[in-house]
Amino acid sequence: MNYMRIIPLSVSLLVTALYWMTRTDVHTFDALSYILDVMRKPWNELFHPHHLAYGPFGALMVVIIGGSAEHALQHANAIAGGLGAGVFAAIVLRRYQRIDVALIAGFALSVSYAYWYYAIEVEVYTVAALFLLCIIWFLDEPTPHRWQWQLGLALSIAGAVLFHQTNALLVVPLLVAMAYNIRSYPNHRTGWIISGVGAVTIVSAAYAYVMVVVSGFTDWSSAQQWLLQYAITGWWGGQATLGDIVDGVSQTIAWSYGALIGLITLALSLWQLRTRTFMHSAWHGWCWSWIIVYVAFFTWWEPDNIEFWIAVTPLFILVLIAPLRHTRAWGWSIRGFIALIVCTFYINYDAIDFRGNAQNDLQREFAAAVATQSTPNDLLLIPDGLQELYMPFYHQRKHFMSINATMAQMGNWQMACDELQRAIDRSQRAGAQIIVASDFLVPTDTMQKRFGLTAASVAGCFKYLMPVMHPMEMPKNAPEHVRIATPGEQLTSNVWRTDTTPLIGWQTMHMEVMQRQLPWMFRAALDPNLISPILDIPLPRTMAFDVEVRDSADMYAQLFVSDTMNIFSEEFSIGWQLQAGRHSYTIDLQTLPSVPTRLVQFRFDPVADGMNGVIIIYGISIE
């Protein structure tokens, strides 16, 4: 085995080991989404149009590597990242026949922050980058007359596009590379066409299979909506600032001082060009067209997002190291680049070690604080972002809602508000508490712009709940959280005799709700009744009802208590005659014909026949 193989293989092994040892324990929103998808969804629901192959790839890695989806995908990404570094070193070694320059290329890519971070995470970009590096390998020394080259390029293009939809932008640099090549070798045209047709066929067949066979779309409009769902949201594009661009490029290089490292590298590279030609002509073409097309798109789309810049990082490195081919082996110029790589390594290692340590993850600390003060049945109203995924992934909480997800499902704020209110009512009816994050009640600027929301409209939706929201104990620096206690706790603390307490979780039969804030007001028909939420508390000695009845056909009230949900019988009931006007009635539950040990639920029939009269409940309490 000669050095042309030993060097790339050594780079791959060293980088893979580095990535394996520095795998993160703190995941991004997208990473947790992928993990949960692979964990919970059947294979035919794993196809996302934006990165069609990654979901099935994750499921396959779980089968091959074993263990959890989280660890299987991290192992796969670490291997892909190491292979990509080796391929990149091989490209440079083949082109310049310089071990020192090849090592600089391989390790410069490997320790750049964006490439390193996503190689230790569960994300689509590292595998996509591996295919992009393979494309560079084939374009660097094209041999379209060989079937191996044709097949390799076709598979690489298809892989890049299937792992990330934006790699359809490759059509421009590929056409430029083809034009340069067939200008010198006209007989190569057929090989290029075969590769292009092969790549298009593979990608088209994959998408067609998912759209027609898996998803069952029967018309083009449905298929188009699915295919472009990520691109047509209007959430991204055209909103970038110069600061966003600088931040994105800088952090792609290093978590801190990235811009400085980039400028010094550029200066060193330009210094080598002071008396030399810049690059070979072929590189002037497809390499620069690749950079221009991708940079233009990312600058427009979301330039502060470092994950996108991974797709052009190898091209920038190729441009910057090109002048080194004229320098003395292991000379001062090479040592200067090595020094920059070492500095980048130390900066990024510290950042990755800190960021990937779960003990430094404040979001997980906040989620744990909420989980310890809640049960799996409680409803969590959480901010948009990581908490949407932290709660189900780390704490197996399934009952949670966010404005972002609800708006995406319902389409407009009024419908979303109604759905959130219904969810709150259902949860209270089932005896659960409601936990609300303060930043749920105050939508972010992004949410306001994305959905046309205002802070006032969100606050107005939940204004009626404010009287029963009480602060929770949270860790230092955590956003404030409030809770609506379980109905059982509300009854035992006599919340239901407090003015402005809302009517939530109750069921009414043959009664029209006229006012939901205490005093609760109803218009009663024949046999009206009010059924409490699930309480599940020890049976109290007495219950008190502060009631007023107006224009009713009769004045006979009845209370049913039950130790079983939604089952009420005369055996556990007490009746009494009401008086005209407002009065408080204290009922001794120990006089029941049969006394249960727990009060799971009660039903209050204020009259037998309301005859469209008005029932007013000023309060319900226990003693």
Side-chain angles (χ1 to χ4, degrees):
M1 183 182 291
N2 58 33
Y3 76 94
M4 295 292 289
R5 295 181 180 179
I6 293 175
I7 297 302
L9 180 61
S10 299
V11 171
S12 285
L13 292 175
L14 285 171
V15 173
T16 301
L18 171 67
Y19 292 163
W20 189 87
M21 291 187 293
T22 56
R23 288 168 298 153
T24 184
D25 286 326
V26 179
H27 297 294
T28 65
F29 181 92
D30 286 347
L32 286 175
S33 297
Y34 302 143
I35 294 168
L36 287 168
D37 282 351
V38 173
M39 287 171 54
R40 300 186 299 194
K41 290 184 177 181
W43 76 271
N44 59 334
E45 294 181 14
L46 292 174
F47 297 96
H48 190 292
H50 188 55
H51 38 74
L52 195 73
Y54 195 66
F57 171 78
L60 180 63
M61 290 302 101
V62 172
V63 173
I64 294 175
I65 298 176
S68 66
E70 174 189 13
H71 293 144
L73 281 166
Q74 281 186 293
H75 289 314
N77 269 5
I79 293 170
L83 288 173
V87 170
F88 194 47
I91 292 169
V92 175
L93 187 61
R94 183 180 64 178
R95 169 167 280 272
Y96 299 131
Q97 302 293 309
R98 290 277 299 269
I99 293 176
D100 52 354
V101 179
L103 290 174
I104 285 174
F107 288 122
L109 176 65
S110 304
V111 303
S112 64
Y113 183 77
Y115 189 87
W116 186 349
Y117 184 77
Y118 284 99
I120 60 175
E121 179 57 289
V122 180
E123 289 271 12
V124 304
Y125 304 98
T126 304
V127 181
L130 175 58
F131 283 110
L132 293 177
L133 288 161
C134 290
I135 292 170
I136 295 172
W137 168 269
F138 289 112
L139 296 187
D140 180 42
E141 289 192 9
T143 54
H145 58 285
R146 301 177 62 223
W147 70 267
Q148 296 93 334
W149 185 93
Q150 298 167 10
L151 178 62
L153 182 60
L155 292 175
S156 299
I157 296 170
V161 175
L162 290 175
F163 272 90
H164 207 280
Q165 205 175 49
T166 56
N167 286 322
L169 296 170
L170 283 167
V171 65
V172 175
L174 286 168
L175 287 174
V176 172
M178 181 181 72
Y180 268 101
N181 183 246
I182 63 176
R183 186 173 61 180
S184 301
Y185 306 98
N187 61 324
H188 284 181
R189 185 190 308 271
T190 302
W192 282 98
I193 294 174
I194 291 173
S195 291
V197 171
V200 171
T201 300
I202 294 170
V203 173
S204 300
Y207 274 96
Y209 172 76
V210 174
M211 289 189 291
V212 177
V213 178
V214 177
S215 301
F217 295 130
T218 57
D219 60 273
W220 171 242
S221 61
S222 299
Q224 186 181 38
Q225 179 71 23
W226 172 83
L227 186 65
L228 301 177
Q229 62 179 255
Y230 193 76
I232 62 178
T233 60
W235 296 349
W236 297 278
Q239 303 175 27
T241 65
L242 180 60
D244 294 332
I245 298 169
V246 172
D247 289 344
V249 174
S250 176
Q251 289 191 3
T252 297
I253 300 168
W255 180 249
S256 57
Y257 304 108
L260 178 61
I261 292 171
L263 289 173
I264 294 173
T265 304
L266 178 61
L268 281 175
S269 181
L270 291 175
W271 178 253
Q272 305 306 317
L273 290 173
R274 62 192 186 279
T275 59
R276 298 183 178 92
T277 304
F278 184 43
M279 294 178 68
H280 297 308
S281 59
W283 285 87
H284 276 300
W286 67 261
C287 181
W288 279 108
S289 66
W290 185 323
I291 291 173
I292 291 168
V293 169
Y294 272 71
V295 168
F297 178 76
F298 296 151
T299 299
W300 172 78
W301 185 251
E302 197 178 8
D304 57 339
N305 195 336
I306 64 173
E307 59 197 25
F308 292 123
W309 294 104
I310 295 172
V312 290
T313 300
L315 281 302
F316 278 120
I317 294 174
L318 285 175
V319 169
L320 291 170
I321 66 170
L324 295 179
R325 70 186 186 275
H326 298 301
T327 62
R328 184 166 57 88
W330 301 104
W332 286 108
S333 298
I334 298 296
R335 296 174 194 176
F337 272 83
I338 292 173
L340 286 172
I341 291 172
V342 171
C343 290
T344 305
F345 171 82
Y346 278 109
I347 291 170
N348 289 338
Y349 179 85
D350 285 343
I352 282 172
D353 181 60
F354 181 85
R355 184 174 175 180
N357 189 336
Q359 294 182 349
N360 300 324
D361 186 3
L362 293 179
Q363 290 288 340
R364 195 177 307 190
E365 185 180 356
F366 303 160
V370 171
T372 57
Q373 299 181 66
S374 64
T375 71
N377 294 324
D378 294 335
L379 175 63
L380 311 178
L381 301 181
I382 56 180
D384 309 292
L386 283 173
Q387 293 299 317
E388 290 184 83
L389 300 173
Y390 271 41
M391 297 311 298
F393 184 71
Y394 293 112
H395 303 289
Q396 292 72 54
R397 297 293 193 264
K398 298 179 181 179
H399 300 293
F400 60 89
M401 300 180 74
S402 70
I403 289 177
N404 184 41
T406 309
M407 280 292 293
Q409 177 185 4
M410 305 306 296
N412 64 66
W413 174 241
Q414 186 55 57
M415 294 178 65
C417 173
D418 292 342
E419 177 59 25
L420 288 163
Q421 291 180 352
R422 285 192 293 268
I424 291 168
D425 196 73
R426 286 193 299 268
S427 297
Q428 285 274 281
R429 186 178 304 169
Q433 70 174 333
I434 316 296
I435 293 179
V436 187
S438 60
D439 34 2
F440 173 90
L441 297 172
V442 182
T444 63
D445 291 341
T446 300
M447 290 297 101
Q448 293 186 45
K449 292 177 183 177
R450 182 174 292 179
F451 298 116
L453 292 174
T454 64
S457 63
V458 175
C461 180
F462 304 105
K463 182 179 179 181
Y464 74 106
L465 297 171
M466 295 301 176
V468 287
M469 288 183 173
H470 301 288
M472 292 173 56
E473 291 187 10
M474 292 293 292
K476 185 180 179 180
N477 300 323
E480 292 183 0
H481 283 63
V482 295
R483 62 186 289 266
I484 301 174
T486 65
E489 185 179 342
Q490 292 182 49
L491 177 58
T492 55
S493 58
N494 290 328
V495 169
W496 291 342
R497 67 179 184 189
T498 304
D499 287 349
T500 71
T501 296
L503 183 75
I504 50 175
W506 294 76
Q507 301 175 70
T508 59
M509 299 291 291
H510 310 132
M511 298 171 69
E512 175 191 350
V513 179
M514 301 172 64
Q515 181 171 301
R516 290 187 173 275
Q517 307 290 127
L518 270 179
W520 302 332
M521 188 178 298
F522 311 90
R523 188 172 299 281
L526 179 66
D527 191 24
N529 56 74
L530 181 65
I531 302 173
S532 77
I534 301 300
L535 304 169
D536 197 19
I537 60 174
L539 185 74
R541 176 171 290 277
T542 63
M543 292 186 68
F545 294 83
D546 189 354
V547 182
E548 180 182 353
V549 178
R550 301 174 184 171
D551 304 322
S552 175
D554 72 284
M555 302 288 283
Y556 185 77
Q558 193 170 12
L559 172 67
F560 296 82
V561 299
S562 177
D563 59 2
T564 307
M565 185 173 64
N566 290 327
I567 296 179
F568 305 101
S569 65
E570 295 291 337
E571 180 184 3
F572 299 110
S573 71
I574 297 177
W576 70 96
Q577 194 69 32
L578 301 179
Q579 302 175 34
R582 175 182 173 180
H583 293 276
S584 183
Y585 305 92
T586 300
I587 310 302
D588 186 355
L589 300 182
Q590 303 305 310
T591 63
L592 287 167
S594 181
V595 182
T597 58
R598 297 192 68 78
L599 177 60
V600 171
Q601 204 171 17
F602 70 82
R603 191 184 95 188
F604 176 50
D605 297 2
V607 293
D609 184 358
M611 203 172 70
N612 290 325
V614 175
I615 309 295
I616 304 174
I617 299 178
Y618 294 93
I620 301 173
S621 58
I622 64 173
E623 297 176 3

